[in-house]
Amino acid sequence: MRTWPAPHVPSIPGRGGEVKVVDSTSGSLVVAAPGPVATLYVCGITPYDATHLGHAATYIAFDLLHRAWLDAGLEVRYASNVTDVDDPLLERATRTGQDWEQLAADQTALFAEDMTALGVLPPHTYLGAVETIPTIATTVSRLLDEGLAYRVPVEAGAGGDRPELGDVYADVSVDPHFGSVAGLDHDQTVALFAERGGDPDRPGKRDPLDPALWRRERPGEPAWDAGQLGTGRPGWHIECTVIAQQALGASFDVQGGGRDLCFPHHEMSTAHARALGGEGARVHVHTGMVGLGGEKMSKSLGNLVLVSTLRAAGADPMAIRLATLAHHYRDDWDWDDRSLPDAEERLGRWRAAVSGNGGPDAGSTVAAIREALAADLDAPAALRAMDTWADAALSVGGEVEGAPGVVARALDALLGIRL
Ligand code: 5CA
Ligand code: ZN
């Protein structure tokens, strides 16, 4: 899968401190990556609808982590996926009469355009589920051979000409650490599993929470031949396990995504990683949910504000980015009528403030932005530090030659805001 072009990250004097984030598993502030190489996997989109503000906020949050790591002198390896075959994508294509592959290709391209406009650094490894099927199939076969997965009979009409092979499910009971990522009790997990794409009531499973690893061919659905697994397509959680492992190794620093992915997706993908002999992510970071009118913005609910719609209406992508940075990444918040105008106004003030040759000294402002980011990616605190500098520049001015340039480059490098 092709990524989008990398924006330039200006170099700025000095270096940022060690970055700490809140780990969802422990709930405590931890060092995100010990270094010198920092490895990050952020779950990518399911491309059946265009990038909304919730997606944008999530990818921008992890972009701050990426930038803070670079500023701290770490070498970053960033991987992500595109879930370019899965139930919601196929359902949408069927409902709208589109070709599923075309839908996925169009929406993946639009996502890349949005990420480019928003100044998000691209992943170094970017893989689609479809292109990874051979590796996923080999991995699922291995889990089956090792007794960590089992076959479940399929309904009549499923499974093509080898229905007896059945679907393949992971056995969660073999993993003593299962449940450690989200830390929920059994009843909560079963309810969430059903709500978020799982099938707790599927007959033939050993445990209601066992997730699908390989889904056999169904009439009208795309399927790929995978030897002893038979024709079918991969489950969702194993997709991310395999892509992360292939790009970053069996154990890596941070897995990220929106909070709706904590359970079951990150619980399951980490359990799969353990079954394969690794650790998966050492730290799990989750963003809050962006809503509209009091409800989570979601493709399935349809209450979306799309980045591409705002751009087409002439919104400055930097103002869209700034609007998301006005909220802490772990908070839930609502996009509303003031979000964009407030960000545009702020951006305008900052642009006016950096337009002169001289200004107030930049040193303490750059330090404050760095400190804010190192302390759990506190973007709102970083914006307040910039507001303080801009207010001073506009009211009393300043004599330090080149200070506006230093501040502007720091904003670009650390927050991805190009003035
Ligand atoms: N393809 C899978 C991950 S492997 C997937 O969840 N795709 S997605 O398109 O549904 O979501 C992409 C990312 O955006 C996920 O990290 C998800 O948690 C996040 N996300 C979705 N809706 C919101 C929202 N309203 N606010 C914040 N983040 C959101
Ligand atoms: Zn994922």
Side-chain angles (χ1 to χ4, degrees):
M1 185 105 356
R2 285 174 58 174
T3 60
W4 53 93
H8 174 65
V9 180
S11 56
I12 49 174
R15 186 161 272 198
E18 189 172 59
V19 186
K20 292 188 173 167
V21 290
V22 170
D23 176 26
S24 307
T25 302
S26 61
S28 47
L29 202 60
V30 300
V31 174
V37 177
T39 42
L40 171 67
Y41 184 87
V42 179
C43 281
I45 55 159
T46 304
Y48 65 91
D49 217 333
T51 324
H52 60 61
L53 261 305
H55 301 132
T58 291
Y59 295 109
I60 289 169
F62 291 103
D63 190 53
L64 292 186
L65 177 60
H66 190 163
R67 288 167 183 272
W69 273 341
L70 290 176
D71 186 52
L74 301 187
E75 182 188 330
V76 180
R77 288 194 200 135
Y78 173 26
S80 188
N81 67 306
V82 177
T83 309
D84 56 0
V85 63
D86 201 11
D87 297 343
L89 169 70
L90 299 174
E91 282 159 16
R92 172 64 60 89
T94 304
R95 190 143 48 83
T96 56
Q98 280 165 289
D99 175 61
W100 69 271
E101 284 175 289
Q102 195 57 51
L103 174 63
D106 291 348
Q107 296 306 327
T108 303
L110 189 53
F111 176 71
E113 259 181 49
D114 288 336
M115 291 298 106
T116 308
L118 294 172
V120 174
L121 297 169
H124 304 100
T125 304
Y126 192 44
L127 288 168
V130 171
E131 63 187 324
T132 314
I133 284 175
T135 322
I136 299 173
T138 309
T139 308
V140 173
S141 282
R142 183 179 139 196
L143 292 173
L144 200 55
D145 291 343
E146 290 176 3
L148 303 172
Y150 59 97
R151 299 186 194 263
V152 173
V154 293
E155 71 281 3
D161 53 10
R162 301 285 311 276
E164 73 285 2
L165 294 177
D167 291 333
V168 179
Y169 279 77
D171 187 344
V172 298
S173 72
V174 299
D175 182 359
H177 299 291
F178 182 79
S180 64
V181 174
L184 301 166
D185 68 36
H186 193 267
D187 289 353
Q188 287 174 306
T189 51
V190 172
L192 271 181
F193 189 56
E195 209 178 287
R196 297 178 178 170
D199 54 358
D201 302 324
R202 168 79 190 264
K205 292 207 305 182
R206 293 178 187 165
D207 187 296
L209 291 178
D210 288 348
L213 292 171
W214 186 253
R215 176 179 159 82
R216 294 301 314 287
E217 179 178 355
R218 284 347 192 236
E221 288 187 5
W224 290 263
D225 190 13
Q228 66 151 337
L229 302 179
T231 47
R233 59 185 167 94
W236 172 31
H237 315 302
I238 192 72
E239 165 192 342
C240 283
T241 311
V242 168
I243 294 175
Q245 181 170 351
Q246 189 171 321
L248 308 174
S251 306
F252 54 98
D253 291 312
V254 174
Q255 179 156 12
R259 191 168 298 130
D260 57 337
L261 296 190
C262 185
F263 192 90
H265 186 51
H266 292 168
E267 190 74 60
M268 301 299 183
S269 53
T270 305
H272 295 335
R274 277 192 298 266
L276 293 166
E279 202 183 335
R282 281 180 282 262
V283 176
H284 291 268
V285 178
H286 292 106
T287 56
M289 289 291 111
V290 181
L292 186 71
E295 287 234 60
K296 173 193 160 187
M297 211 179 269
S298 83
K299 291 183 276 205
S300 44
L301 288 175
N303 58 337
L304 308 179
V305 177
L306 303 180
V307 173
S308 46
T309 311
L310 295 176
R311 289 200 292 120
D316 181 338
M318 287 298 110
I320 303 173
R321 182 169 174 118
L322 194 54
T324 73
L325 292 179
H327 302 271
H328 192 277
Y329 80 90
R330 282 190 291 111
D331 289 342
D332 294 333
W333 56 278
D334 257 18
W335 179 266
D336 65 27
D337 292 347
R338 292 302 314 160
S339 301
L340 193 58
D342 285 351
E344 279 166 345
E345 201 182 299
R346 194 174 215 170
L347 198 59
R349 218 167 350 111
W350 291 1
R351 284 182 173 144
V354 299
S355 63
N357 260 343
D361 182 52
S364 60
T365 305
V366 175
I369 294 173
R370 279 182 161 137
E371 267 168 42
L373 289 180
D376 198 25
L377 310 173
D378 191 347
L383 304 199
R384 284 195 298 274
M386 180 57 194
D387 283 337
T388 304
W389 185 89
D391 288 346
L394 292 170
S395 57
V396 291
E399 300 302 319
V400 183
E401 209 172 314
V406 173
V407 166
R409 282 197 297 282
L411 271 190
D412 189 355
L414 300 172
L415 294 170
I417 297 288
R418 293 183 299 267
L419 292 181

